[in-house]
Amino acid sequence: MPGFSDRDRGRDRGYGGGPPRDRLRKKHWNLSELPKFQKNFYQEHQDVTHRTVQEVEQFRRTKEVTVKGRECPKPILKFNEATFPSYVIDVINKHNWSDPTPIQSQGWPLAISGKDMVGIAQTGSGKTLAYLLPAIVHIQHQPFLEHGDGPICLVLAPTRELAQQVQQVAAEYCRASRLKSTCIYGGAPKGPQIRDLERGVEICIATPGRLIDFLECGKTNLSRCTYLVLDEADRMLDMGFEPQIRKIVDQIRPDRQTLMWSATWPKEVRQLAEDFLKDYVQINVGALQLSANHNILQIVDVCNDMEKEDKLIRLLEEIMSEKENKTIIFVETKRRCDELTRRMRRDGWPAMGIHGDKSQQERDWVLNEFKYGKAPILVATDVASRGLDVEDVKFVINYDYPNSSEDYIHRIGRTARSQKTGTAYTFFTPNNMKQAGDLIAVLREANQAINPKLLQMAEDRGGRGRGGRGGYKDDRRDRYSGGGRNGPFGGSGFRDADRGFGSKGAFGGSKAQNSGGYGGSSDGYGNGNFGSSSNGQGNFAAAGNQVGAFGSQSFPAGPAGFGAMQRAAHNSLSHPPFPFAPQPPSQIPQLPPPPPMVPFPMPPNFPQ
Ligand SMILES: Nc1ncnc2c1ncn2[C@@H]1O[C@H](COP(=O)(O)OP(=O)(O)OP(=O)(O)O)[C@@H](O)[C@H]1O
Ligand SMILES: [Mg+2]
């Protein structure tokens, strides 16, 4: 079952992949014997106090903030209203952000008041600071750490890269607050991590496997932990992680404060989450159903597996001729990731691959190269689908459709971070048919144009609802059989030596030849009920009014078809033409072998 076993759920394998070993005993807590601690530090700012109930309701309505649960404080509208210490505000001010995002506006007062909570808001909407800054307030009110004490705040994250990223954000604010933080994750030497823990850290960001390892051998403990965060909580509670989370949470006093965050909150985890929460408040920003960040233009191409590679190349030619062209291509399996990266590099594309079977050294190197270096194309499995914040990613391509609609939301959410916009292309094949209904719902919610072929597919399926989370059973087939050795990458589609990349070293040299592919006429399926103007739900104050944000946005002239398509969709003037008209195989000219590969940054030889 290679399609199944090779799937990369980005799990920290430090734990060995099996069920948790039983070296950690479940603690039995007697609350009356535990030292008392405070968790409500919220003092409402006078401007907030003066705000009327109507004003609060008006704010929540315009920002689409929904609150469920008892005693949720009023939102704060300005950074200073959150009453953070001045050294925290100083760091915020350095970023020149205009206002808190809606999840911060409502999440900060709630978290500072000590309540357990679930915070659900779009990808790229600033959830990391929504939980980290209240953590600093929480810690500042606790007794100092003593020798042998473990962390006061524990943040659990599903991937090593995300854990490291959160640690970078934490470190920025910890420096100003004279707090110490560290990141505990698998695949890296244990020595430095153990030394950090021994020195004492108030904030520990961890992937579950390595943390359990350290807890088992007594390198740290959670008896001081009173502020627990599950970032990407639905992922942390799904079947891949849940036993480990339980094991960790059993080590933490039950009167702790627990906070869960994600952009998606499928019903399958809601009940389970309640095992870890007490009298909690849930905040949702945006639609209550599964929803994508509205700053993303979503384009779905319904095609066959065999067509994908050719389409990918044509798409990349367009993208690479754009000034801002940072792109993540998501594939389903590690093997596919390796194959696609190899073929792309062979043909001169500046691509790098990342997946869970690579050494951590290589994963870190590749991600850094993508963030700051010369490789604008990252081929990735779902190991990169959650939480990663690379600000200038402009395009996400779902080469293989993900296994769950939640993963789709997170993957495309790697673009349009903060106030930015981005575009997501998705190849959708008959194999993915059972997910058509969910995808249509997501597109509709975001006022996107819907490919009639997708609608047709959903109709053919008889309008059946969700196929269940993950759909593992149905998905065990070998996904890459369709694109095997003789598939399009090995075939002439990808060997098109006329493309203008390869030995010429410049991409998109032949963009003219493609303009028809992505542009073309917009007829075919009426216009009207799409476009993004009707939603008022931006992540950020500045993007709150999308009509304005998109209306005033000038997209780069770019290649005719592509640029035009973006403009059309974002302004909802006319239907974006569906690109990717499949080329009958007979029309693909037989061309000479591809040019030799151009030297793009090669990962050093990392031991695996
Ligand atoms: N108030 C703000 N105004 C503008 N940008 C902000 C604000 N707060 C945070 N950001 C920036 O927004 C970006 C996205 O933040 P973050 O990674 O926390 O998003 P997220 O909601 O956790 O997304 P995901 O669901 O993908 O994990 C970061 O670069 C962060 O610095
Ligand atoms: Mg996040």
Side-chain angles (χ1 to χ4, degrees):
M1 290 185 300
F4 183 60
S5 59
D6 195 27
R7 180 169 302 138
D8 198 348
R9 298 287 280 138
R11 190 155 153 270
D12 176 11
R13 288 166 302 130
Y15 199 68
R21 286 160 295 187
D22 232 9
R23 277 199 279 155
L24 267 187
R25 287 267 153 74
K26 182 174 162 62
K27 290 216 161 122
H28 294 283
W29 302 97
N30 183 347
L31 283 181
S32 59
E33 281 172 10
L34 290 171
K36 298 269 171 289
F37 77 100
Q38 294 295 319
K39 49 186 176 181
N40 180 0
F41 316 105
Y42 189 52
Q43 285 185 319
E44 200 173 66
H45 189 278
Q46 56 179 13
D47 293 355
V48 179
T49 309
H50 290 142
R51 226 160 263 143
T52 63
V53 177
Q54 288 77 8
E55 285 171 315
V56 168
E57 275 174 9
Q58 159 93 10
F59 173 85
R60 288 189 179 144
R61 217 178 14 254
T62 47
K63 303 291 178 189
E64 293 196 64
V65 176
T66 315
V67 175
K68 201 183 85 194
R70 295 189 308 130
E71 294 163 14
C72 182
K74 294 176 181 175
I76 55 107
L77 270 52
K78 296 281 162 207
F79 287 117
N80 70 313
E81 292 175 2
T83 58
F84 290 128
S86 56
Y87 44 82
V88 168
I89 294 286
D90 288 346
V91 184
I92 293 178
N93 286 341
K94 283 194 195 133
H95 288 278
N96 288 323
W97 296 324
S98 54
D99 287 309
T101 65
I103 189 68
Q104 294 168 348
S105 287
Q106 188 60 81
W108 279 335
L110 181 58
I112 297 170
S113 68
K115 298 279 279 188
D116 280 6
M117 61 167 293
V118 176
I120 308 299
Q122 303 85 350
T123 52
S125 63
K127 293 186 286 295
T128 317
L129 287 185
Y131 62 75
L132 279 180
L133 301 190
I136 290 175
V137 175
H138 179 101
I139 293 163
Q140 298 292 25
H141 285 83
Q142 308 304 323
F144 289 115
L145 288 183
E146 289 182 20
H147 183 73
D149 279 350
I152 297 170
C153 162
L154 173 66
V155 179
L156 294 172
T159 66
R160 301 161 179 180
E161 288 74 15
L162 178 56
Q164 292 182 72
Q165 178 185 295
V166 173
Q167 154 67 3
Q168 278 167 14
V169 180
E172 189 186 0
Y173 291 85
C174 282
R175 263 192 302 278
S177 319
R178 295 172 184 272
L179 298 178
K180 294 183 288 321
S181 60
T182 193
C183 186
I184 300 300
Y185 58 101
K190 291 183 179 174
Q193 297 180 2
I194 292 172
R195 274 195 291 283
D196 278 356
L197 289 169
E198 281 170 352
R199 234 177 274 140
V201 289
E202 285 87 1
I203 300 183
C204 175
I205 297 118
T207 53
R210 179 62 62 91
L211 178 65
I212 291 175
D213 207 354
F214 284 169
L215 287 169
E216 284 179 339
C217 55
K219 298 296 178 199
T220 190
N221 64 78
L222 296 172
S223 39
R224 282 291 309 269
C225 178
T226 45
Y227 188 97
L228 168 69
V229 176
L230 301 192
D231 198 2
E232 305 297 343
D234 53 334
R235 173 76 185 103
M236 302 305 285
L237 294 173
D238 80 12
M239 63 186 186
F241 279 111
E242 193 243 348
Q244 298 184 36
I245 299 303
R246 246 176 228 289
K247 210 168 173 66
I248 292 168
V249 174
D250 281 346
Q251 302 298 308
I252 308 176
R253 51 189 292 169
D255 54 351
R256 68 184 178 262
Q257 184 179 358
T258 307
L259 308 95
M260 302 192 178
W261 305 83
S262 184
T264 52
W265 199 233
K267 54 179 177 313
E268 290 82 350
V269 303
R270 290 177 203 166
Q271 190 67 46
L272 187 58
E274 296 195 354
D275 285 2
F276 303 97
L277 296 160
K278 285 207 178 86
D279 187 22
Y280 68 102
V281 173
Q282 177 164 339
I283 314 171
N284 279 70
V285 179
L288 291 175
Q289 80 264 32
L290 189 66
S291 58
N293 176 338
H294 287 190
N295 291 341
I296 306 168
L297 172 66
Q298 302 176 58
I299 296 172
V300 178
D301 182 13
V302 177
C303 61
N304 294 318
D305 276 314
M306 295 296 285
E307 294 168 332
K308 285 187 188 176
E309 291 180 10
D310 188 39
K311 283 171 180 290
L312 177 67
I313 295 315
R314 296 202 287 138
L315 185 49
L316 284 176
E317 284 171 352
E318 294 287 344
I319 289 173
M320 287 300 135
S321 65
E322 296 280 320
K323 210 160 90 220
E324 288 187 280
N325 56 18
K326 211 168 257 192
T327 302
I328 305 183
I329 304 172
F330 281 104
V331 293
E332 184 180 359
T333 63
K334 296 173 240 187
R335 197 171 97 190
R336 171 95 89 180
C337 179
D338 282 337
E339 283 174 3
L340 191 60
T341 312
R342 201 177 318 117
R343 287 172 187 175
M344 290 181 70
R345 292 180 64 84
R346 185 199 62 192
D347 284 3
W349 294 100
M352 304 257 196
I354 189 165
H355 61 65
D357 274 357
K358 288 186 184 283
S359 71
Q360 193 52 40
Q361 229 186 337
E362 181 167 350
R363 280 164 64 165
D364 291 346
W365 188 88
V366 164
L367 193 57
N368 264 322
E369 202 55 33
F370 180 64
K371 267 190 186 162
Y372 311 109
K374 295 197 185 74
I377 302 175
L378 183 69
V379 184
T381 57
D382 278 312
V383 76
S385 66
R386 285 201 180 233
L388 294 187
D389 183 51
V390 179
E391 60 162 5
D392 53 349
V393 172
K394 288 307 282 181
F395 302 93
V396 169
I397 301 174
N398 282 309
Y399 185 86
D400 297 321
Y401 195 76
N403 289 300
S404 75
S405 309
E406 285 77 23
D407 286 344
Y408 173 80
I409 300 294
H410 291 279
R411 281 179 175 190
I412 69 169
R414 293 321 97 212
T415 184
R417 312 291 297 166
S418 192
Q419 280 128 326
K420 301 236 161 60
T421 55
T423 304
Y425 289 93
T426 297
F427 296 153
F428 197 92
T429 70
N431 282 341
N432 313 124
M433 195 173 193
K434 70 179 190 319
Q435 307 207 60
D438 277 7
L439 178 56
I440 289 170
V442 168
L443 294 168
R444 281 218 172 101
E445 194 285 325
N447 298 307
Q448 300 291 303
I450 301 176
N451 187 333
K453 286 197 211 160
L454 186 64
L455 289 169
Q456 187 62 53
M457 223 183 234
E459 224 165 80
D460 293 348
R461 206 177 121 72
R464 265 173 285 162
R466 296 193 59 156
R469 222 172 117 65
Y472 282 109
K473 279 201 198 93
D474 292 350
D475 272 328
R476 289 183 186 196
R477 67 188 165 268
D478 183 349
R479 288 261 184 159
Y480 29 75
S481 56
R485 300 256 165 255
N486 297 321
F489 258 106
S492 51
F494 199 36
R495 286 165 187 250
D496 182 352
D498 248 8
R499 282 174 290 118
F501 54 91
S503 57
K504 290 178 202 147
F507 317 104
S510 63
K511 63 188 176 192
Q513 93 189 42
N514 292 316
S515 53
Y518 300 106
S521 80
S522 62
D523 56 25
Y525 28 99
N527 47 28
N529 54 2
F530 48 77
S532 49
S533 58
S534 63
N535 76 72
Q537 175 218 324
N539 287 334
F540 298 87
N545 178 352
Q546 297 230 333
V547 187
F550 281 124
S552 62
Q553 181 150 5
S554 59
F555 288 97
F562 195 41
M565 182 169 59
Q566 280 201 339
R567 279 188 293 275
H570 273 161
N571 294 325
S572 73
L573 292 176
S574 65
H575 201 293
F578 280 103
F580 322 121
Q583 240 184 331
S586 61
Q587 286 178 18
I588 301 173
Q590 292 304 308
L591 291 158
M597 187 176 142
V598 190
F600 283 108
M602 268 310 269
N605 257 342
F606 293 107
Q608 294 299 314

